[in-house]
Amino acid sequence: MIWQLDLLILTLLVICAIGAITVRDLLSATMIFGAYSFLMCLLWAEMGAVDVAFTEATVGAGVSTILFIAAILRTSRRSKD
Amino acid sequence: MKILQERARGGAMGEDLILRTSVSLLAPFIQLFSLYVLAHGHYSPGGGFQGGVLLGASFILMALAFDLKHSMQLFPLRANLIAGNIGALIFVGIGVICALLGGYFLDYAAFAKVIPMAVPDWRSLGILLVEVGVGLGVASIMLSLYWDLASGGHLEEGL
């Protein structure tokens, strides 16, 4: 547990979270969400929960990003609201 | 985005030699690592779910680098169906057998009455058997989720 590293990852995580909900382009939002998942995985691994980090890396950053892109391709790219 | 839409409609996208070679070299190692994660899940990080997702993701990677039909040749639809059902059946079957032998649902110690082995050994082996079932089910469901979402349910062409 290195608190400087924790703080750095947490700051980037908050920036990614705010970016993912403010950006209008859904494809960009998906990419930022993938980066968010990867940072979350780093945070879990740094806090010692390797099992949760493993799940986050495979499901969060790997498969769900692809599924989001596949879903966006079937609908529209720009958010209406 | 235009390239992706072109690709989802089944249009030609151009063959990337570097991408295809690297993915076809990388995919067997991902599958081997998924088996490692699955087999060591009960005493190190990992387990059935993570191993299954890795196994499914390796086929999704092949589908992304080549096309949907190529991944359906590697892991046919019928094999996918059988793997998913066998996975669920292993999980529920072992649980119900434990209950029928006089223990609780998924209480592996009940197996010790049928095949004489130490109870801690049965607890270790039982979680491994259950995780094999979970891994098979999760891999199959991940791949069919991707197939259905990417091709709009037609399983013809997709992302």
Side-chain angles (χ1 to χ4, degrees):
Chain A
M1 292 277 271
I2 310 164
W3 73 267
Q4 289 93 343
L5 195 61
D6 265 346
L7 196 66
L8 176 68
I9 295 174
L10 187 67
T11 314
L12 289 172
L13 200 63
V14 170
I15 291 171
C16 276
I18 293 172
I21 56 169
T22 49
V23 99
R24 306 282 295 203
D25 191 350
L26 290 177
L27 193 66
S28 314
T30 307
M31 286 301 135
I32 298 172
F33 198 60
Y36 172 88
S37 281
F38 181 69
L39 288 169
M40 202 69 213
C41 161
L42 281 182
L43 197 60
W44 290 128
E46 204 267 339
M47 292 198 293
V50 186
D51 218 3
V52 189
F54 211 117
T55 313
E56 186 72 44
T58 50
V59 182
V63 175
S64 77
T65 308
I66 297 171
L67 291 184
F68 273 135
I69 292 174
I72 289 169
L73 276 178
R74 296 281 151 190
T75 55
S76 62
R77 188 178 175 186
R78 305 286 297 181
S79 160
K80 295 286 192 298
D81 48 33
Chain B
M1 194 67 190
K2 199 161 279 178
I3 296 171
L4 287 175
Q5 276 166 348
E6 187 90 354
R7 197 186 149 95
R9 279 197 298 271
M13 205 185 110
E15 296 177 1
D16 195 335
L17 182 68
I18 297 173
L19 192 67
R20 293 193 166 186
T21 311
S22 56
V23 165
S24 52
L25 284 176
L26 197 63
F29 288 101
I30 296 178
Q31 286 162 4
L32 196 65
F33 184 62
S34 82
L35 292 181
Y36 171 83
V37 166
L38 205 153
H40 293 257
H42 50 304
Y43 54 83
S44 71
F49 185 78
Q50 287 92 330
V53 172
L54 273 175
L55 192 62
S58 75
F59 287 105
I60 292 177
L61 198 63
M62 294 294 265
L64 284 174
F66 294 85
D67 55 356
L68 204 75
K69 284 286 173 201
H70 186 262
S71 77
M72 290 179 84
Q73 280 168 4
L74 288 170
F75 196 8
L77 194 63
R78 186 171 291 273
N80 191 20
L81 202 67
I82 293 172
N85 282 305
I86 284 182
L89 209 65
I90 289 176
F91 183 82
V92 179
I94 287 180
V96 169
I97 287 172
C98 293
L100 288 179
L101 288 173
Y104 297 108
F105 187 73
L106 289 177
D107 180 13
Y108 317 114
F111 275 117
K113 292 176 188 166
V114 185
I115 304 170
M117 233 163 80
V119 170
D121 287 352
W122 263 120
R123 289 203 194 279
S124 174
L125 192 65
I127 191 83
L128 181 65
L129 290 174
V130 162
E131 275 185 352
V132 168
V134 172
L136 270 177
V138 168
S140 139
I141 295 301
M142 279 291 163
L143 194 55
S144 46
L145 262 181
Y146 170 74
W147 279 344
D148 277 336
L149 258 178
S151 69
H154 301 298
L155 301 179
E156 290 294 327
E157 69 254 342
L159 185 66

